[in-house]
Amino acid sequence: MTDHSVSSASTQAAAAQPAAQGGRRARGGSESRRAARRGGGREQLAQILRKIPCFEVMNQEALEIIEANADTVLEEVGLEFRGDPEALALWKGAGCDVQGERVRFPRGLCRKIVTENAPGTFTQHARNPSRSVQIGGDVTVFAPVYGPPFVSDLDKGRRYGTIEDFNNFVKLAYMAPAIHHSGGTVCEPVDVPVNKRHLDMLYAHMRYSDKPFMGSVTAPERAEDSVSMAKILFGEDFVENNTVMISLINANSPMVWDDTMVGALKTYARNNQAVICTPFILAGAMAPCTVAGTMTQTLAESLAGMALAQLVRPGAPVVLGSFASSMSMQSGAPTFGTPEPAMVLYGMGQLARRLGVPFRSGGGLCGSKAVDAQAAFETANTLLPTLLGGVNFVLHGAGWLEGGLVSSYEKFMLDADQLSMLHALAGGVDMSENGQAMDAIREVGPGKHFLGCSHTQANFQTAFWRSSVADNNSYEQWQSEGGLDATQRANKQWKQWLADYEAPPLDPSIDEALKEFITKKKASMPDAFA
């Protein structure tokens, strides 16, 4: 399998020295071997540097129409910014027409603010510098599922998520070779009070993984806590001058930004931490029931969010997000893996590249209630457009089940396996001398086979991508090994990964400071479960 690492920004990221490393950089052969042991012997893959072109569904004229329509929505219809007087004042100061909470924007203003200020790429630093990632450009970064209140596995079935489940998914994401990012709310730990669980979730990402992670957005003060904990982990000066968190800021579609999301956006932007401005759209209910209409609304809403971040702090890192699903017009239920959301993804990718900002979309999405054939084909129908459409930051890369209501242990393992396949596909065709294989063709000649030739012998271990969960043995061998299906094999695998898990090292003084912060913060407020 071909693996490509990113130069430039990633090289600079590895050279940076966050405090969490205790003055040491995790480099060299001995550290690589220790890291492999902590990952159960699974060597981590670098973020994807694409060697294949992006698939495009729209021509220049069509893109210009969508952009013009989005400007019309912003100018004539406007968006509401509810419950945040500061945001309204910022827009008024920028020259917008503010009537109550409705903001109408001069034509082209949001695009101008974004293109003149937002970075085209940025580095999100991890506490292990070798795990830092570039967001944007030709790079694709995979993160796990985000947000489900339920979890499931073959042993215990479907149930509410707990902090133990949360910790388990963080550990699995840390160990998964093809997952580059620890993610955020990999499941909701409902056994922890609502107003305090963000502290435990952030600690899990910081302690049980050394990959990049996401901040909390469920209240502005929780975003502030995220920044404070990041400063303990990385050092205050480092956070002041570098991006160490990325966070998901959802528009309340159609055409509303609420005070919770805007408050979190402002907190992160002020601290130079990245925000993904994503309209969460169920097309037909929260946006028009057409591909072009959904793209128009998505672009308008995301543009306004990204521009607001620039008004708060020019140059703050932002990502254009698009999450659009179709729906059953009979039942109203969301559907996944269908053609229309794929076309929205492809088109929004083109629009993001024209705008010059990183792009978030896609993932391993499905509506199935079980890890079955429906889950597999719907996920495949979303993952392939994710890669081919040039998505830079992929949330929900592994574990999503039941329309995002469930984080599934078995689905996580199957998805993580497929993400490693996408690494191989993104590498493109090897046109090196070895890849051309002319020496093999000359050696074998007509009428013979290539199994024993020198080229095959030299390349057989890495010649083709191999799945870690699929079974390609004979029927007899499969039967003798228990006749397990893919879900049963994934069940065994996640348990083995957790048994093999070893936590990455963390400076004990930093760990103690994080725990002290959490203890004091929890003691400052009563428990709340609503």
Side-chain angles (χ1 to χ4, degrees):
M1 177 167 54
T2 303
D3 177 37
H4 301 281
S5 61
V6 177
S7 56
S8 60
S10 290
T11 301
Q12 296 168 13
Q17 194 64 58
Q21 286 299 107
R24 293 180 295 109
R25 287 167 60 188
R27 316 286 281 178
S30 61
E31 173 57 31
S32 296
R33 289 189 290 273
R34 286 193 294 272
R37 286 197 298 274
R38 290 193 296 272
R42 285 161 287 277
E43 184 177 353
Q44 293 289 313
L45 302 175
Q47 58 195 329
I48 289 176
L49 179 59
R50 299 170 53 86
K51 294 292 185 75
I52 58 175
C54 294
F55 183 76
E56 300 187 341
V57 296
M58 302 177 71
N59 61 24
Q60 179 86 0
E61 180 184 6
L63 293 168
E64 290 173 354
I65 289 172
I66 298 296
E67 290 169 342
N69 288 348
D71 274 340
T72 298
V73 170
L74 291 167
E75 181 185 34
E76 296 181 7
V77 181
L79 307 182
E80 288 190 3
F81 286 78
R82 294 180 178 172
D84 197 305
E86 182 187 12
L88 296 172
L90 287 169
W91 286 124
K92 190 168 185 177
C96 296
D97 175 22
V98 179
Q99 302 293 329
E101 295 184 322
R102 179 76 67 93
V103 180
R104 292 179 175 85
F105 308 80
R107 196 169 193 85
L109 175 68
C110 289
R111 174 175 299 274
K112 183 175 187 291
I113 292 172
V114 171
T115 56
E116 290 183 355
N117 294 281
T121 65
F122 60 91
T123 296
Q124 185 187 355
H125 295 269
R127 71 176 178 91
N128 177 349
S130 68
R131 301 284 177 83
S132 297
V133 294
Q134 177 181 303
I135 309 295
D138 290 329
V139 173
T140 297
V141 172
F142 291 132
V145 64
Y146 183 109
F150 300 102
V151 300
S152 71
D153 63 66
L154 288 182
D155 304 291
K156 299 178 183 178
R158 185 183 188 270
R159 61 196 186 278
Y160 279 108
T162 65
I163 193 63
E164 180 183 7
D165 291 308
F166 188 95
N167 294 344
N168 284 344
F169 279 111
V170 169
K171 294 172 183 178
L172 292 173
Y174 167 66
M175 297 178 74
I179 293 179
H180 318 107
H181 203 281
S182 195
T185 309
V186 288
C187 71
E188 281 283 354
V190 300
D191 56 337
V192 182
V194 170
N195 60 329
K196 299 179 181 181
R197 67 180 59 155
H198 67 288
L199 301 166
D200 295 305
M201 292 190 287
L202 282 163
Y203 179 76
H205 286 299
M206 293 176 174
R207 181 65 193 93
Y208 302 128
S209 177
D210 60 5
K211 294 180 179 181
F213 58 89
M214 302 178 74
S216 176
V217 298
T218 50
E221 59 269 22
R222 296 169 196 167
E224 294 282 3
D225 289 342
S226 302
V227 174
S228 296
M229 291 179 69
K231 288 179 178 178
I232 295 172
L233 183 68
F234 289 91
E236 190 165 344
D237 289 343
F238 192 86
V239 173
E240 187 67 30
N241 296 293
N242 297 277
T243 298
V244 301
M245 280 186 295
I246 190 169
S247 300
L248 179 62
I249 308 294
N250 285 132
N252 190 355
S253 302
M255 292 167 281
V256 172
W257 283 97
D258 63 47
D259 57 338
T260 298
M261 291 288 102
V262 169
L265 178 150
K266 291 187 301 181
T267 297
Y268 286 120
R270 283 196 184 99
N271 288 278
N272 198 38
Q273 303 306 304
V275 291
I276 309 168
C277 297
T278 303
F280 186 97
I281 287 177
L282 180 60
M286 299 156 71
C289 61
T290 65
V291 170
T294 298
M295 283 194 287
T296 295
Q297 185 180 313
T298 297
L299 181 59
E301 292 175 357
S302 187
L303 265 174
M306 292 187 292
L308 179 60
Q310 304 311 308
L311 294 181
V312 173
R313 177 168 174 165
V318 293
V319 177
L320 191 159
S322 170
F323 185 101
S325 72
S326 52
M327 64 179 289
S328 168
M329 301 305 284
Q330 289 71 44
S331 69
T335 54
F336 300 93
T338 53
E340 294 82 9
M343 286 190 281
V344 172
L345 185 158
Y346 287 129
M348 291 307 302
Q350 291 180 258
L351 291 164
R353 290 189 289 276
R354 284 167 62 88
L355 192 60
V357 293
F359 177 47
R360 173 258 159 157
S361 193
L365 312 181
C366 69
S368 179
K369 314 304 180 288
V371 186
D372 59 6
Q374 179 185 341
F377 70 69
E378 288 179 351
T379 296
N381 285 346
T382 311
L383 277 179
L384 278 175
T386 298
L387 180 71
L388 298 177
V391 177
N392 300 120
F393 187 82
V394 183
L395 201 53
H396 312 306
W400 169 294
L401 195 67
E402 199 181 324
L405 290 175
V406 173
S407 294
S408 162
Y409 281 83
E410 288 80 26
K411 178 79 162 29
F412 186 98
M413 303 308 293
L414 294 167
D415 289 343
D417 181 67
Q418 289 301 290
L419 295 182
S420 73
M421 182 273 290
L422 296 183
H423 277 73
L425 179 59
V429 178
D430 177 10
M431 290 303 296
S432 67
E433 185 176 345
N434 182 70
Q436 294 177 51
M438 291 302 296
D439 54 338
I441 296 172
R442 291 188 181 99
E443 179 183 342
V444 173
K448 301 178 184 178
H449 65 74
F450 286 82
L451 289 174
C453 79
S454 300
H455 183 273
T456 302
Q457 293 297 306
N459 288 277
F460 79 95
Q461 289 186 313
T462 57
F464 305 115
W465 175 80
R466 287 183 288 179
S467 169
S468 64
V469 289
D471 182 278
N472 296 297
N473 296 318
S474 67
Y475 178 83
E476 291 74 19
Q477 185 173 349
W478 171 76
Q479 194 173 44
S480 70
E481 293 174 354
L484 304 180
D485 62 24
T487 307
Q488 292 169 319
R489 291 191 296 274
N491 177 267
K492 292 181 64 175
Q493 190 181 70
W494 72 255
K495 293 174 182 175
Q496 188 61 56
W497 279 27
L498 290 181
D500 292 341
Y501 170 83
E502 292 181 31
L506 178 63
D507 187 318
S509 65
I510 293 175
D511 192 26
E512 197 58 40
L514 287 168
K515 290 177 181 177
E516 182 180 355
F517 177 89
I518 292 170
T519 299
K520 288 182 178 179
K521 198 72 182 179
K522 286 186 174 182
S524 70
M525 51 187 165
D527 291 352
F529 281 91

